[in-house]
Amino acid sequence: LHSHYSTAMLLCVALALIGIGAGGIKSNVGPLGADQFKSTLLQSSSLLRQKSYWNWFYFAINIGSLLAFTVVSYVCQNVSFAIGYSIPSVCLLLAMCIFYSSRHRYFILPPSSNDTTSVLQETNDDAQR
């Protein structure tokens, strides 16, 4: 009974960490990349580069999904599960190393406002009307 309980707890913790990690990555990577374009609304060349960035960003995400569902699945099922599982792990580790080693090159915009506070303020204002 103790083994079953600890396995269930480990599963719950793992699923929570996956959700937090995926939510953190997906909500921050795209905007961080888009912030690298020092644009104003009047610069059409900057807007074109930003649109190109989003096209390449989503293209890369879809290629990654394609490779995960084809190549990695094939390796897991026909070669070795450990090797197949290691492929995305090594790729993620490599991506984190590249990201960290280039951190001094990134343009990071300071937060303009607290979005949660803004939403709560607007909700309160609407409720009072």
Side-chain angles (χ1 to χ4, degrees), residues 34-125:
D35 285 347
Q36 303 313 302
F37 301 97
K38 298 175 183 171
S39 67
T40 63
L41 293 176
L42 302 175
Q43 295 176 334
S44 62
S45 64
S46 182
L47 287 174
L48 288 174
R49 287 185 309 203
Q50 196 169 21
K51 286 180 183 180
S52 177
Y53 161 76
W54 286 111
N55 287 335
W56 282 107
F57 178 77
Y58 284 109
F59 178 76
I61 287 175
N62 289 321
I63 291 297
S65 296
L66 176 69
L67 292 174
F69 282 107
T70 56
V71 175
V72 175
S73 296
Y74 176 82
V75 172
C76 282
Q77 294 173 6
N78 299 316
V79 178
S80 165
F81 183 80
I83 293 172
Y85 192 77
S86 298
I87 292 171
S89 301
V90 169
C91 289
L92 184 60
L93 181 64
L94 181 64
M96 288 189 319
C97 290
I98 292 170
F99 180 77
Y100 185 75
S101 67
S102 302
R103 71 189 181 282
H104 63 279
R105 295 180 177 190
Y106 299 131
F107 179 72
I108 300 175
L109 292 173
S112 58
S113 68
N114 184 338
D115 291 334
T116 305
T117 305
S118 299
V119 168
L120 292 175
Q121 180 69 36
E122 290 295 325
T123 304
N124 186 35
D125 290 348

